[in-house]
Amino acid sequence: MTERSMQEPTLLLLTALADAPRHGYALIQEIAAISDGRVRMRTGTLYGALDRLLGQGLIEVAAEEVVDGRARRTYALTDAGRDALSAEAERLRAVATEAERRLAKIRSMLPGRSGSQGRPAADGGLS
């Protein structure tokens, strides 16, 4: 069976929960931080994704409390969630390694770069 790659919201949510349980607003802030502000998850998207991940057994409700008269749930990764995040991180790492290998190969063939022998540029090869 071939596993599908994770959609970015799922990857970001699981990553945000990898080091500590968090409630919804904290997850929105953490996702913005992880993505360097590129992704701003809306509450509707967040809670839809949380419900889906709960149903898949990748996260669980770690605590429920009432704050300022409103219910607040804190979510945490399950063992299955940690395993899924770990597998996705490894998949992404393998793809990135192969992309860098291929880019280094083509860089070494470009005019004026024959001395680089396939080594990435000083800026990490992202130029």
Side-chain angles (χ1 to χ4, degrees):
M1 176 174 105
T2 304
E3 286 190 33
R4 236 177 75 198
S5 63
M6 257 181 216
Q7 295 297 311
E8 188 174 31
T10 299
L11 175 62
L12 291 170
L13 274 168
L14 295 182
T15 300
L17 290 169
D19 61 344
R22 290 186 167 84
H23 57 80
Y25 182 69
L27 284 167
I28 289 171
Q29 291 178 310
E30 194 67 18
I31 287 166
I34 291 167
S35 68
D36 200 24
R38 186 179 52 81
V39 176
R40 299 236 179 245
M41 191 168 285
R42 296 174 189 228
T43 54
T45 302
L46 172 70
Y47 287 104
L50 289 171
D51 285 343
R52 182 176 47 78
L53 295 172
L54 282 165
Q56 292 173 341
L58 299 178
I59 65 171
E60 62 189 359
V61 176
E64 291 186 77
E65 60 184 331
V66 177
V67 177
D68 296 328
R70 299 177 71 180
R72 177 188 284 178
R73 284 183 169 181
T74 300
Y75 301 90
L77 282 183
T78 61
D79 288 342
R82 271 186 285 288
D83 291 346
L85 181 58
S86 179
E88 183 66 2
E90 181 54 39
R91 186 191 71 77
L92 291 169
R93 193 172 10 264
V95 170
T97 298
E98 181 61 13
E100 285 298 323
R101 184 189 71 77
R102 289 175 184 228
L103 287 168
K105 182 178 178 181
I106 197 72
R107 275 189 212 109
S108 70
M109 294 187 282
L110 294 174
R113 294 198 182 198
S114 59
S116 70
Q117 297 180 5
R119 285 177 274 148
D123 66 357
L126 299 176
S127 54

